[in-house]
């Protein structure tokens, strides 16, 4: 006897847990073909497609969930919006990322990820002061401040909050001492604080960890030139 839609759905979930994503996709697609009126099915298929990095079609499923009548889909809407923001960030679609975060914050006004991802959207569209306001809110609301610190440091640097940025970079590097880009960002910030020898040391550490960056060499040379001019 042919399986009913719910059976396909639960079988798909089991395959998803086993990381058999292609099989999971086939099963949930069969469930939807038999019953296209279950918001949970579209939400699950969006998640499977996201795992398969089929972002455009995943977003279509999440958009269907987001547009569902609120009463029927309330428990899925925030999660669908969150998944969509993560994919838009990966796709570097920053304008739509900002708009989606606006939607998320209308639905759930104190969700730290709404502020966090919107801050990144503002950062990459060069709206640095808006980014700073949002990253501060994310830092305040989040229970994972160390996750946010590297980004707050980067955005703080852009708006001239060099002392705070230094604290963030130093704490972040205690968590991830092998992150070459963090050492580079720390070096730039130290350069702005006129701590030239420390900046050079940070640039050298970034180089040792494999970072090759013209800006790194340029600022290292500037710092060294300034030190030599003081002798």
């Amino acid at each position: 006897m042919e399986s009913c839609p719910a059976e396909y759905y639960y079988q798909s979930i089991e395959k998803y847990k086993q990381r058999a994503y292609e099989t999971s996709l086939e099963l949930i697609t069969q469930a939807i073909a038999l019953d296209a009126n279950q918001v949970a099915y579209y939400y699950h298929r969006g998640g499977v497609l996201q795992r398969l990095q089929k972002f455009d079609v995943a977003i279509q499923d999440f958009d269907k969930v987001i547009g569902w009548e609120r009463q029927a889909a309330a428990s899925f809407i925030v999660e669908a919006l969150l998944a969509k923001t993560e994919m838009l960030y990966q796709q570097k679609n920053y304008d739509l990322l900002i708009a989606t975060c606006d939607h998320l914050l209308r639905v759930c006004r104190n969700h730290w990820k709404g502020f966090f991802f919107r801050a990144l959207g503002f950062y990459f569209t060069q709206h640095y002061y808006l980014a700073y306001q949002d990253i501060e809110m994310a830092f305040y609301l989040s229970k994972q401040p160390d996750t946010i610190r590297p980004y707050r440091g980067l955005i703080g640097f852009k708006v001239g909050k060099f002392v705070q940025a230094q604290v963030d970079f130093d704490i972040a590097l205690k968590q991830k001492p092998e992150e070459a880009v963090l050492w580079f960002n720390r070096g730039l910030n130290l350069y702005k604080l006129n701590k030239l020898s420390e900046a050079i040391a940070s640039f050298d550490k970034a180089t040792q960890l494999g970072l090759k960056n013209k800006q790194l060499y340029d600022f290292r040379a500037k710092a060294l030139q300034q030190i030599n001019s003081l002798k």
Side-chain angles (χ1 to χ4, degrees), residues 3-222:
S3 297
C4 71
E7 288 175 335
Y8 283 126
Y9 170 61
Y10 288 115
Q11 289 170 17
S12 177
I13 289 173
E14 286 304 311
K15 291 299 181 182
Y16 180 89
K17 291 176 180 176
Q18 296 167 15
R19 300 185 180 181
Y21 300 125
E22 292 286 359
T23 304
S24 180
L25 178 60
E26 291 173 9
L27 289 164
I28 192 59
T29 299
Q30 285 178 288
I32 291 171
L34 292 170
D35 184 354
N37 296 306
Q38 298 296 324
V39 65
Y41 295 0
Y42 291 98
Y43 175 73
H44 175 60
R45 189 171 68 176
V48 177
L49 289 164
Q50 184 178 7
R51 287 289 187 180
L52 291 168
Q53 297 190 339
K54 298 180 178 181
F55 298 137
D56 289 338
V57 281
I59 286 172
Q60 289 176 21
D61 273 350
F62 287 130
D63 278 342
K64 194 169 186 70
V65 173
I66 292 162
W68 215 277
E69 185 178 344
R70 177 66 60 86
Q71 189 174 0
S75 61
F76 295 101
I77 288 174
V78 170
E79 294 303 319
L81 284 163
L82 285 168
K84 184 178 177 182
T85 60
E86 291 174 7
M87 285 185 286
L88 291 169
Y89 176 65
Q90 288 179 283
Q91 291 180 312
K92 301 182 180 180
N93 189 342
Y94 301 122
D95 289 332
L96 189 52
L97 173 63
I98 291 166
T100 303
C101 289
D102 287 343
H103 189 163
L104 172 59
L105 290 168
R106 287 195 299 272
V107 173
C108 187
R109 65 179 183 176
N110 287 325
H111 202 299
W112 73 269
K113 282 190 176 180
F115 289 105
F116 174 70
F117 280 105
R118 193 170 68 177
L120 296 181
F122 283 140
Y123 174 82
F124 285 107
T125 54
Q126 300 183 9
H127 296 94
Y128 298 125
Y129 285 96
L130 292 174
Y132 181 75
Q133 291 172 11
D134 273 358
I135 206 70
E136 284 285 275
M137 282 297 295
F139 189 85
Y140 173 75
L141 292 169
S142 172
K143 295 179 181 178
Q144 307 172 47
D146 287 342
T147 301
I148 298 171
R149 281 190 188 278
Y151 302 95
R152 190 173 75 161
L154 188 62
I155 295 169
F157 170 82
K158 285 292 188 181
V159 297
K161 303 283 186 179
F162 303 125
V163 174
Q164 177 189 286
Q166 193 60 43
V167 172
D168 285 333
F169 288 135
D170 287 344
I171 293 174
L173 279 166
K174 289 179 182 177
Q175 306 293 324
K176 297 182 177 180
E178 301 306 311
E179 284 283 336
V181 172
L182 269 176
W183 284 104
F184 169 62
N185 290 337
R186 180 178 182 269
L188 287 178
N189 197 70
L190 286 163
Y191 179 84
K192 289 293 185 179
L193 288 169
N194 204 35
K195 296 182 177 182
L196 303 175
S197 296
E198 291 180 60
I200 289 170
S202 277
F203 292 141
D204 288 345
K205 183 67 176 179
T207 303
Q208 290 167 17
L209 290 169
L211 187 65
K212 295 180 180 179
N213 184 318
K214 182 179 183 300
Q215 196 178 16
L216 184 158
Y217 297 123
D218 287 346
F219 273 93
R220 187 188 186 283
K222 288 179 181 179

